[in-house]
Structures are given as C-alpha cells and as structure tokens.
Amino acid sequence: MYHAVVGRSPRSSPRPGEPATWRRGTASEQHQWKGGEVALNNDTPWPSVVDAKSWVLSIQRKLHRWSKTDSERRFDDLYNLICERATLLLAWDRVRSNRGSRTAGLDGWSRWHIEQRIGVECFLEELRSQLKARTYRPTPVRERGIPKRGGKVRYLGIPTIRDRVVQMALKLVLEPIFGTDFYPLSYGYRPARRAQDAIAEIVHYINPRSSYEYVVEGDIKACLDNIRHGILMGQLRRRIEDRKVLELLRAFLGAGVMKETGRLAATVTGTPQGGIISPLLANIYLSALDRHFERVWKYQTRYIGCTTYYRRRGMATYRLIRYADDFVILVRGSREQAEAVRDEAARVLRNELEMELSEEKTVVTHVDEGFDFLGHRIRRIAWRKSKMAFTYPSKRSVEAIKYKVKNLTTRSTTHLSLRTLLLQVNSVLRGWATYFRYDASKRTLA
C-alpha cells in the first residue's frame, strides 16, 4: 500500500514564497528533484532511478489521498504524468528487473537489444516523444501457448518491451487511484496483499467462533478473455476524465494478437494474459462483483450481534473472498442456502459483467470435506475437542513441484555441473517452500 500521505491539498493560490508556476488542483503538480524545482515534461536531463522512485512515490501518495478523500473525483490531467521522464524511467527499471524482459515481443527486441545496441536513454526519449506527439501505437501481442493439466493449453500474450514500459507507466499512475475503490475482500495483484492473506481470511471464518460450514468454489469461464471493453471503459470513466489516457487504454485493448500460426486476430473482447496492466484492469472489471457482496455483508453485519440474529432465525450469512479471477464464498447456513448464493453470484456476473460461471467447476462443498484454493488444501478437522481449519499443499501443487524438479534433472541437464544443477533445483524448491511455509506442511516438506 501507499503508506505515508504527503503534500498539500490542491488550492487555487500559492503560498507565500512558492513559484507562480506551481499548478494546483491537477495531478501534474510541480515537484522537486534533489537539485531544486523542476516542472513536468520540460527539457531537464533524465533523473537517476533513486530520484525517479522518490518523485513517482510522492505523486502516488497525492493521487491516493485525493482519490480516498473524494470517492466521486474524476482525474483529468494524468497523461502528462505518464509522459514524465521519472515515470518512464521507473517503469523501465521495473520492466527490466522482471525475468520476462528477456523474452522478445513481436518486434524481436528484448532488454539486451535496448541496453547494448540502442541505449536506455535514447529508447526512453524516443518513446516519450511519441507519447507526447500522440503518435504512439501499441503493437499486437505475440501469442504463446503454455500446456496445462488435462491436455489443455493456456495462451499468453507477450507484448513488445516498449509496450510493457508504457503499460507499467499507466499502472504506476492508475493503481493508486483505483486502489481506494477496491474492497477488502479482494486480494489479488494489489500492493501489500498476497495469497496467504486470503487463505488466512478463509481460515478465520471457518474456525470458531464464526464456524462457516459451506463454501462455493467459483470459477468464471475464460475470465480475462471475456472482459467486455465497453463495460470496462465505462468503469474507467468513473475515475478518469483524461481522454488521452482513455484512448491509450482503448488502444491497448484493441491492439490485436499475432497467432502462433502467423495470423493477425482482432481483440474484440478480453485483455491479453501476460500484459502488465491486465491484472489491474481485471480487478477494476470484477469490482462490480465485489461491490454487490460487500454491500450484502455490510447489511448483514450492520450492528453487533446481527449475524447471531440471522443464524437464530435460520437465515444465511455469507462472505466473498476473491483473488484475481478465483473466488470462494463462505456460507453459514444450509446447503440449499449455499446453492442459492451460488445462483446469486451467477446472476450478478451475467447481468452486470456479461460473464458466466462454469457449471462443472462451480460447486458447493462442506468445509469438513475440504476444498482447494490458490494451491492450498483447506479442510476442517477435529482438533482438541473442537473443529479447526488446517491448510496444507494440495495434491496438484505437490505434483506440479515434482514435475518441475523432474524437468530440471532429466538427461538434457546432464551436461551441467553439480553446483549449477543444485542452484537451479534449490531455487525452485525454496520458492515453493516459502509459499507454503504457513501451512501445516511439515510432513510434505520433509
């Protein structure tokens, strides 16, 4: 999250001693480098990464504060922030630090081409000039299939590295604005939130005193592929009034996909899996589902003892917990009431977002039987004269890590030295063990 809140509220007149060029009331205020006052988008030299981080963080704090203070505020001067040198430099630094920067998009450029042949400053300056002149056009993403269990294939869209930098710049500016509109029940791809927090929330509601009994395991059919651009743009306009930013987002949504067969396909719906800004857009889109269940939850907990009143009257209480496009709904009530909640979620998705729940994968399960969520197996068992929820790695997660280790130790890796091979295997095992370190997985890890 964005912790400290700095800066002053926008006013029409400057304080004594402040320069007259300080533009108040907009997102593109004048800020300071270490050397003194610098206005946005002028001809000053490129800052260092440390100064860029400091400047962008101060902007994010202001955007976050203004958005949180006024839930109806629409921001109309954001494009200048995206074109600012500090924003683009920090966006490049985050893109290059990602392992995916070594993968080239449709233009064949990777991080190595820019650093060794073009130069980072030349690359960013040209990109900035195109953005300012509004001649920048996103390139279609390159499709790549990733095998899944059961013989299925998941298709990822790999953007060019220049598109990744612009998407990261958009994310740096938009995330603090829309982050204030997200609800506490959403955990996926948000600052200072992680999968373990969602698991801990589920365990809290299953354990006494809450003792929720049923869970609706939700699965949306091809969620990212079925995002309606018109509905998404309408949700973005609730907060964004800058037409340049909206046009840039629309251009990314409609950039197209170059299929593995070499055919260029239009993207009428959906956001490409693999795009930097796709998780943020998906959270914005699915916030309509969060809004509905958060409204119900606030009504069910509107006063102390309200949930107890519901339980004594035989009425159900339920809580949604979502991580990106995966969600569960915990229900305290009967199986019939849990099935009614499942139908309610399907109705909200269909009416507001034009999405469908998978009938085969969306099931109602008793917590004593156990269910899988985010790679964890969650089950309530008898423990010391009561029932407690335990979490441990699911069978699918264990099989997945075995498959990875097997691939790292096949005949194709016999040419590697023992030290190199152990470094690769230990890196994979360490990451897997860190993810499940809060589970009751002593036997599995041993």
Side-chain angles (χ1 to χ4, degrees), residues 190-203:
R190 295 181 57 187
R193 285 174 171 250
R194 53 182 183 170
Q196 287 83 355
D197 296 330
I199 299 298
E201 184 83 353
I202 294 173
V203 170

Side-chain angles (χ1 to χ4, degrees), residues 106-124:
L106 198 61
D107 59 357
W109 284 12
S110 64
R111 182 186 70 186
W112 181 87
H113 291 84
I114 294 174
E115 292 179 338
Q116 302 298 327
R117 295 187 178 182
I118 303 174
V120 175
E121 288 193 8
C122 293
F123 166 75
L124 293 179

